[in-house]
Amino acid sequence: MNDIPAFNRRGLLKLGGVGVTGMLLAPGAQAQAQGNDLPPPSPVDTGAVKDGKVTFPEWRGPSEAPSGDPKAPLPPEDRVGFAVVALGRLSLEEILPAFGETKKARLVALVSGSPDKMKAVAQQYGVKPEACYDYTGFDAIKDNPEIKAVYVVTPNGLHREFVERAAKAGKHVLCEKPMSVNSTEARAMLDACNTAGVKLMIAYRIQYEAFNLHLAEKVRAKAYGRLVGMSAINVQTVAENGAEQWRHKKALAGGGALPDIGLYCLNTARFLTGEEPVEIMATQYSPPDDPRYAEVEETVSFTLRFPSHAIVNCLTSYGARDDKHQRLNFERATVDMPNAYQYTGQSLTVIEREGDQTVQKEIDLTANNQFAAEIDHFADCVLQDRKPRTPGEEGVQDHVLMEAIYQSAATGVPVRLDPIQGLDAFRGPPAQVEL
């Protein structure tokens, strides 16, 4: 019988052919175990558990960025169960996959008007057949205790119906932007959720995106001096035969490029500064005789003036090739951010003086999944009974401002707004976004 201990390829001591997990020996320890006269092995860092999280002492030098501690997801049974309403492109391409990266939320139900599609998606994501609902039977979600929250991803004109039905069923609601099709309906949605005692959050993913969060900190801290001006562009082209697409129907969309993609420019300017505009000037254009723009606009340009005297120029259009760029001009620096409103691919460059030179520094940040971040934030608000960072009030305010943009574009004169004191007047406490 061979009495010499055996080791597998990972250096685990094997007793009776079974690896002893939890015992990881360095090469010196292996040799010592085989009888060689070598010094004791170096200790291997196994980490420690504190408050349910595993932590490790930092091993890198002070010139290196720390690695951070491992993520600490909640056990599946402790996560907030979500039902996703509508299985269109956004849900299938971004939202449902994002649940694979969430730490506090899980997908437990689906709602769709397409039975075959819902069955296929349910099988892909492990959703029980009895947790699949059509639109008519949506109200039955009240009897499913696994569903704590509903993510409404229908066309804009249907947001109100499903937000109010979800609230009546006693479920918290995460609603895609824009909140609705006008401020009147948005206020009704907010009232319905308040009456039902459920939380309402609007899915402004940019406010949970790492690069924009970093930039907001710099703006508010005046890291580069006063923000003098900003330009924000969100444009893309649409199919030439797309006149029947829901985004070109005012009843379903509420408008054209402005509420669909221009809203990112408007909301991000408000979020970065924390301020509310005191004056808006706008103009718009649609190609004549183009059936796509019989009900909604193609292009809108608008300027926002803020109490700090920062001036923000925004352009949104369905007629120009994809570009989602923002540039901020400070007293002492320029910040350039291509792909600012994309789902992925953000970058951030600071142009400033260093000594006698003008330098460009690309800020290296860890990108995050914006959809997972916003879902987890809402789940945390449900678990901790906190107000979301982007509550229904934030969505109502954007509708008020978009209506002022349309008013200015129609009349050709600026719209002056009552000053709103303080920062983040319509937002809840800051989100703790894990990177």
Side-chain angles (χ1 to χ4, degrees):
M1 180 175 179
N2 189 349
D3 293 329
I4 300 176
F7 295 84
N8 63 19
R9 287 190 294 177
R10 293 185 297 167
L12 295 178
L13 179 62
K14 295 198 298 184
L15 300 177
V18 179
V20 181
T21 60
M23 182 185 293
L24 178 60
L25 302 182
Q30 297 180 26
Q32 188 178 36
Q34 296 180 26
N36 296 336
D37 188 16
L38 293 176
S42 299
V44 176
D45 181 22
T46 57
V49 178
K50 183 178 180 181
D51 298 328
K53 296 182 178 181
V54 178
T55 61
F56 292 95
E58 188 53 61
W59 64 274
R60 290 181 171 87
S63 62
E64 308 293 336
S67 60
D69 293 318
K71 305 300 182 185
L74 293 177
E77 64 272 15
D78 293 338
R79 301 188 189 191
V80 174
F82 276 75
V84 172
V85 182
L87 301 179
R89 186 180 300 275
L90 183 64
S91 291
L92 295 184
E93 293 185 355
E94 303 295 338
I95 294 172
L96 296 184
F99 278 96
E101 298 186 46
T102 57
K103 307 296 187 296
K104 300 179 180 181
R106 63 189 180 110
L107 178 68
V108 299
L110 300 172
V111 183
S112 174
S114 303
D116 292 341
K117 179 169 61 173
M118 182 161 55
K119 181 179 179 180
V121 173
Q123 291 174 342
Q124 292 164 357
Y125 285 91
V127 176
K128 302 172 186 175
E130 60 269 26
C132 294
Y133 305 87
D134 61 20
Y135 294 133
T136 302
F138 173 78
D139 302 318
I141 65 171
K142 70 179 183 297
D143 299 320
N144 187 337
E146 284 196 304
I147 301 173
K148 304 298 184 185
V150 171
Y151 193 160
V152 177
V153 202
T154 60
N156 311 337
L158 300 176
H159 285 179
R160 178 181 178 180
E161 175 187 348
F162 287 97
V163 166
E164 293 183 352
R165 290 172 72 181
K168 187 176 181 180
K171 310 299 182 180
H172 302 288
V173 188
L174 175 58
C175 179
E176 258 305 317
K177 47 62 58 188
M179 185 172 174
S180 189
V181 292
N182 57 55
S183 62
T184 300
E185 292 211 353
R187 288 191 181 97
M189 294 160 63
L190 180 59
D191 290 344
C193 289
N194 288 338
T195 299
V198 300
K199 300 182 188 303
L200 173 61
M201 173 175 148
I202 310 306
Y204 288 112
R205 58 182 174 80
I206 298 300
Q207 296 199 38
Y208 305 92
E209 189 277 318
F211 287 83
N212 279 288
L213 281 168
H214 174 85
L215 185 53
E217 290 180 1
K218 297 300 182 182
V219 172
R220 293 166 184 233
K222 294 183 169 55
Y224 310 115
R226 180 173 67 89
L227 176 63
V228 177
M230 171 181 170
S231 62
I233 297 172
N234 198 350
V235 297
Q236 65 191 44
T237 56
V238 294
E240 292 185 3
N241 61 348
E244 296 307 312
Q245 216 268 353
W246 71 264
R247 287 179 174 83
H248 296 272
K249 301 299 181 184
K250 189 170 183 178
L252 283 176
L258 178 60
D260 185 18
I261 55 178
L263 179 54
Y264 287 106
C265 304
L266 172 63
N267 186 264
T268 303
R270 296 177 50 237
F271 154 63
L272 293 177
T273 63
E275 299 181 336
E276 297 302 325
V278 293
E279 185 178 79
I280 293 176
M281 180 67 186
T283 187
Q284 71 181 56
Y285 170 78
S286 296
D289 303 322
D290 189 327
R292 293 174 297 179
Y293 308 110
E295 299 183 24
V296 301
E297 79 284 347
E298 180 210 59
T299 300
V300 182
S301 174
F302 56 98
T303 299
L304 311 170
R305 184 167 65 84
F306 287 91
S308 62
H309 304 293
I311 296 175
V312 179
N313 293 307
C314 304
L315 173 68
T316 185
S317 180
Y318 280 156
R321 187 188 179 279
D322 184 77
D323 187 15
K324 304 183 186 304
H325 184 277
Q326 65 187 15
R327 188 178 182 93
L328 284 74
N329 300 98
F330 298 88
E331 288 180 279
R332 300 192 300 272
T334 301
V335 173
D336 196 48
M337 193 172 173
N339 302 320
Y341 316 124
Q342 294 277 25
Y343 299 148
T344 59
Q346 285 75 20
S347 64
L348 196 156
T349 301
V350 178
I351 306 165
E352 60 184 339
R353 175 181 172 178
E354 191 172 276
D356 293 333
Q357 304 294 325
T358 296
V359 297
Q360 296 189 35
K361 301 176 182 177
E362 184 165 343
I363 306 301
D364 187 13
L365 299 174
T366 301
N368 66 331
N369 185 313
Q370 303 163 43
F371 292 94
E374 69 181 5
I375 292 169
D376 262 346
H377 172 66
F378 190 54
D380 189 59
C381 290
V382 171
L383 292 169
Q384 303 299 326
D385 192 20
R386 296 191 309 190
K387 185 174 184 177
R389 179 60 169 173
T390 53
E393 291 88 344
E394 176 85 338
V396 171
Q397 174 66 357
D398 272 333
H399 276 294
V400 170
L401 297 177
M402 285 190 289
E403 287 164 4
I405 291 170
Y406 283 130
Q407 178 184 339
S408 178
T411 62
V413 298
V415 174
R416 287 180 170 80
L417 304 161
D418 292 334
I420 295 175
Q421 301 300 318
L423 300 182
D424 299 316
F426 300 98
R427 300 184 185 95
Q432 301 299 316
V433 177
E434 292 189 13
L435 302 178

